[in-house]
Amino acid sequence: MSFEHKAPFWLPGGHLQTIYPVFLSRLHQQEVSAHHLPVRRIRKDTPDGDFIDFDWFEPLQSSSQDVTVVLFHGLEGSSESVYARAYAAEATARGYRLVVPHFRGCSGELNRMPRAYHSGDVDEIDWMMRVVANESRSQRLYAIGVSLGGNALMAWAGRRMSQTSSQWPQLISLAAVSAPLDLAAAGRAIDLGLNRVLYADHFLKTMRAKAQTKWQQFPGLFDLQAILQAKTLRVFDDLFTARLHGFKNVDDYYERASALPWLASISKPALILNSRNDPFIPWQSVELSSVGRVCSHVIQWLPKQGGHMGFVSASPGAFLGLPGSLRPITVMVLNWLTEQAPVV
């Protein structure tokens, strides 16, 4: 099975395909989804004295299927993100439960510790996965990571699963959608030209605000004035992300946090999906054949269209921003994940 997305004629180009589902359909997605998809939040204390909020979406009707889908959100995302609601709607309609673990500071409340989250936080992913496994007791687990969450998930799978796959018999397969597997390449692309205006500035607005709140919580933790003046994500990552999480600098962070070098070590079926017109993830940087990676357990889809997590359907409802607008991609990803389950 492969996936070739055909974007609607009224959404030409990677920028429009990226922006539309985020900025135009968000209100529709949240209004409808919030009514039909009740969510249960569970807060868990972390080993270092912080907390993580897990949002659980249960099947709308009783189901005999003991399946849990774990969704790791992207940069500054949450369970309210359009893609999270789309996957939750599709999963619960199939009789699955879906859970969104929030990276620190992304659930609507400031986290307690002098740290945040980053693209290669494999220790955090490992702890979150274990919480989900213990809470759900499911016989089948599937994991999806979107954008930053996709890189973190694949980094975890490559660095940890190669050594402890026998400890995860219930994890059947995993997928990364629009993941920046080469962080340096994505970092360069997002800070250039129109990308900087459309995407970097958007992310920086909320990230600088969170940094200011974190500095008030821990005065002197970093150079606040320099961060508030940061004009690129690279500078922000150098002053904030790298400093708070034990990296020497931004280059060290991008190199050590990138999942690309670890893909060959993944021991479970894994799907990587990136569009070739993603505005800020150069597809050549993630195409396994181009970068000389041989990964026996990894399947890659590289459709020509789709933008960055903008795989909007061509249906009339998509034009109005209705909940089904992202259904094609959620169906294809969930189909692929579940088809990897052994026949019993």
Side-chain angles (χ1 to χ4, degrees), residues 184 188 234 237-238 242 247-258:
R188 289 190 295 269
R234 178 182 173 82
D237 281 338
D238 193 42
F247 299 98
K248 297 177 183 177
N249 51 39
V250 66
D251 293 321
D252 182 46
Y253 164 47
Y254 287 166
E255 180 180 356
R256 290 169 54 194
S258 292

Side-chain angles (χ1 to χ4, degrees), residues 197-245:
V197 176
L198 293 177
Y199 311 112
D201 287 351
H202 169 71
F203 288 129
L204 283 170
K205 182 178 180 180
T206 60
M207 293 165 70
R208 283 193 295 251
K210 285 185 178 180
Q212 187 166 15
T213 305
K214 181 61 66 176
W215 190 91
Q216 293 170 350
Q217 186 185 23
F218 297 98
L221 184 62
F222 45 76
D223 188 339
L224 178 61
Q225 291 306 311
I227 286 177
L228 294 180
Q229 295 172 13
K231 302 299 183 184
T232 66
L233 283 176
R234 178 182 173 82
V235 171
F236 183 91
D237 281 338
D238 193 42
L239 296 171
F240 182 85
T241 311
R243 178 181 177 87
L244 261 62
H245 301 105

Side-chain angles (χ1 to χ4, degrees), residues 2-319:
S2 62
F3 177 69
E4 188 58 55
H5 176 69
K6 182 174 177 58
F9 71 91
W10 40 267
L11 277 181
H15 289 301
L16 286 179
Q17 291 164 24
T18 299
I19 293 170
Y20 178 79
V22 176
F23 293 101
L24 299 186
S25 68
R26 175 170 289 178
L27 290 179
H28 297 282
Q29 289 278 359
Q30 291 182 358
E31 287 173 6
V32 177
S33 298
H35 178 71
H36 291 289
L37 293 175
V39 59
R40 174 172 55 96
R41 174 163 291 185
I42 296 178
R43 176 166 292 185
K44 292 291 184 178
D45 290 330
T46 63
D48 64 349
D50 215 327
F51 67 89
I52 296 291
D53 287 328
F54 296 77
D55 280 0
W56 293 80
F57 297 86
E58 300 290 344
L60 299 181
Q61 298 179 350
S62 60
S63 173
S64 60
Q65 300 189 76
D66 187 15
V67 175
T68 298
V69 180
V70 192
L71 179 73
F72 295 98
H73 64 77
L75 182 66
E76 296 298 274
S78 72
S79 65
E80 293 291 338
S81 296
V82 173
Y83 55 81
R85 292 286 170 163
Y87 276 103
E90 182 63 28
T92 55
R94 297 183 181 208
Y96 310 157
R97 68 179 63 86
L98 181 138
V99 56
V100 180
H102 289 88
F103 291 115
R104 303 191 194 204
C106 291
S107 63
E109 185 175 334
L110 183 68
N111 65 302
R112 301 170 187 152
M113 302 301 291
R115 58 155 296 174
Y117 66 100
H118 64 86
S119 299
D121 206 346
V122 295
D123 291 336
E124 198 86 301
I125 296 289
D126 191 73
W127 183 82
M128 289 173 169
M129 286 292 294
R130 294 181 188 280
V131 169
V132 170
N134 289 334
E135 286 290 320
S136 69
R137 301 293 181 182
S138 290
Q139 295 300 310
R140 283 186 289 163
L141 288 178
Y142 301 99
I144 304 170
V146 176
S147 196
L148 175 148
N151 182 83
L153 176 63
M154 290 297 165
W156 169 77
R159 296 175 62 178
R160 295 294 180 84
M161 290 291 293
S162 60
Q163 301 172 348
T164 61
S165 59
S166 61
Q167 297 181 21
W168 290 95
Q170 69 274 55
L171 180 60
I172 306 300
S173 52
L174 55 158
V177 181
S178 296
L181 304 173
D182 182 337
L183 292 172
R188 289 190 295 269
I190 200 170
D191 282 332
L192 292 176
L194 189 59
N195 284 346
R196 178 173 165 180
V197 176
L198 293 177
Y199 311 112
D201 287 351
H202 169 71
F203 288 129
L204 283 170
K205 182 178 180 180
T206 60
M207 293 165 70
R208 283 193 295 251
K210 285 185 178 180
Q212 187 166 15
T213 305
K214 181 61 66 176
W215 190 91
Q216 293 170 350
Q217 186 185 23
F218 297 98
L221 184 62
F222 45 76
D223 188 339
L224 178 61
Q225 291 306 311
I227 286 177
L228 294 180
Q229 295 172 13
K231 302 299 183 184
T232 66
L233 283 176
R234 178 182 173 82
V235 171
F236 183 91
D237 281 338
D238 193 42
L239 296 171
F240 182 85
T241 311
R243 178 181 177 87
L244 261 62
H245 301 105
F247 299 98
K248 297 177 183 177
N249 51 39
V250 66
D251 293 321
D252 182 46
Y253 164 47
Y254 287 166
E255 180 180 356
R256 290 169 54 194
S258 292
L260 189 63
W262 299 99
L263 297 182
S265 299
I266 293 177
S267 58
K268 296 278 185 175
L271 170 67
I272 293 174
L273 169 59
N274 293 85
S275 74
R276 293 176 184 257
N277 69 347
D278 189 314
F280 51 88
I281 300 180
W283 66 269
Q284 298 90 341
S285 70
V286 297
E287 185 182 36
L288 299 184
S289 60
S290 293
V291 297
R293 304 286 174 179
V294 178
C295 309
S296 58
H297 288 87
V298 177
I299 297 296
Q300 186 165 47
W301 294 347
L302 285 169
K304 294 179 181 178
Q305 298 182 330
H308 187 79
M309 263 309 301
F311 300 94
V312 177
S313 74
S315 68
F319 182 76

